[in-house]
Amino acid sequence: MSDDQEPSATSDTLSKPLFRDITADDYDPEITEIESLCMNCEEQGITKLFLTKIPFFREVIVSSFACDECGYKNAELQPGGRIQDRGVSYKLTVKQINDINRQVVQTQYATIKIPHLEFEIPPGKSVLTTIEGIIDRAVEGLEQDQVLRRIQHPEVAEQIDNFVSKLKELKEVKAPWQMIIEDPSGNSFVENPYPFSSYCQFLMQEL
Ligand SMILES: [Zn+2]
């Protein structure tokens, strides 16, 4: 790799998987590895801390965890960076199956709404994720106490099951649907794979 090669949003950058293995070719190879316990199976996994450049956004520090034992992975953003002068609100229309793979920087201030299902995800952790990842995490959260709930409150459990199937259906993109990401800190971001094309149904407005 030549030295003058600037990191940019080439197809190469965009096609890199979210949980990529960092190689010597990476533009910023500085990386710290820490052995840590897996939250899922309590075996030893590896946490990697590294700086990564989000195309058309900025650099963020990611703490990614991977467990070889059970396959559990996550990618959290390290807190840091200043609160921006203005908040952001992204309104993304998911029109095709590829849209669910868009990378999302979701800070701990971001509220996510899916108006189609009247669903709102309150602020939580800062994570580097995808549209699909956001849905998967919401499903996980809803399913968390279902075993007990099916015994104690079977009607509620059934309603949640129905809702979970609707959420999962969104990933099939049978019809267009919208996701709104509102972040008063201004630091959330949704990848736009067609930054120079009007084709993209992508709106950004100041709050
Ligand atoms: Zn594990």
Side-chain angles (χ1 to χ4, degrees):
M1 208 178 188
S2 63
D3 286 336
D4 57 346
Q5 207 162 351
E6 277 292 306
S8 59
T10 58
S11 56
D12 173 56
T13 320
L14 292 170
S15 65
K16 276 186 184 173
L18 182 56
F19 301 106
R20 64 183 197 241
D21 288 327
I22 304 301
T23 67
D25 282 346
D26 252 86
Y27 115 82
D28 193 331
E30 265 186 59
I31 178 166
T32 309
E33 293 196 4
I34 310 150
E35 283 207 355
S36 40
L37 277 189
C38 175
M39 282 186 282
N40 195 41
C41 72
E42 300 187 340
E43 291 295 323
Q44 204 71 242
I46 300 281
T47 294
K48 293 177 181 178
L49 278 174
F50 57 93
L51 192 67
T52 190
K53 171 116 178 84
I54 309 284
F56 295 98
F57 186 52
R58 65 175 90 100
E59 288 170 342
V60 292
I61 300 169
V62 179
S63 152
S64 86
F65 175 83
C67 173
D68 284 342
E69 213 55 48
C70 71
Y72 178 79
K73 287 176 177 181
N74 72 22
E76 287 181 16
L77 290 176
Q78 291 304 104
R82 65 185 195 92
I83 303 286
Q84 305 300 311
D85 295 335
R86 291 196 168 92
V88 286
S89 172
Y90 291 90
K91 186 172 170 187
L92 170 73
T93 303
V94 177
K95 292 174 79 174
Q96 48 188 357
I97 202 87
N98 286 345
D99 286 331
I100 68 167
N101 298 325
R102 291 198 195 188
Q103 223 172 42
V104 177
V105 174
Q106 177 191 352
T107 79
Q108 76 264 40
Y109 303 104
T111 299
I112 294 174
K113 294 175 185 168
I114 302 174
H116 175 61
L117 297 180
E118 292 178 20
F119 186 54
E120 185 169 319
I121 304 168
K125 277 184 184 166
S126 289
V127 288
L128 179 60
T129 184
T130 57
I131 302 291
E132 182 178 27
I134 291 171
I135 294 173
D136 286 346
R137 209 146 41 89
V139 167
E140 267 173 41
L142 287 167
E143 283 183 335
Q144 205 167 32
D145 301 315
Q146 279 293 77
V147 175
L148 189 61
R149 207 178 277 128
R150 280 191 193 105
I151 299 162
Q152 293 180 337
H153 309 282
E155 307 82 15
V156 181
E158 199 187 322
Q159 284 172 0
I160 291 177
D161 280 340
N162 290 340
F163 190 77
V164 162
S165 16
K166 284 182 189 168
L167 271 176
K168 286 180 177 168
E169 234 169 65
L170 293 180
K171 298 202 291 180
E172 295 165 28
V173 199
K174 288 176 181 161
W177 55 276
Q178 284 188 334
M179 180 179 275
I180 297 168
I181 300 177
E182 289 174 345
D183 184 349
S185 83
N187 288 323
S188 285
F189 178 76
V190 182
E191 177 197 350
N192 179 354
Y194 315 102
F196 306 118
S197 159
S198 58
Y199 162 75
C200 185
Q201 298 294 305
F202 196 88
L203 267 173
M204 183 176 161
Q205 69 202 29
E206 291 166 356
L207 281 177

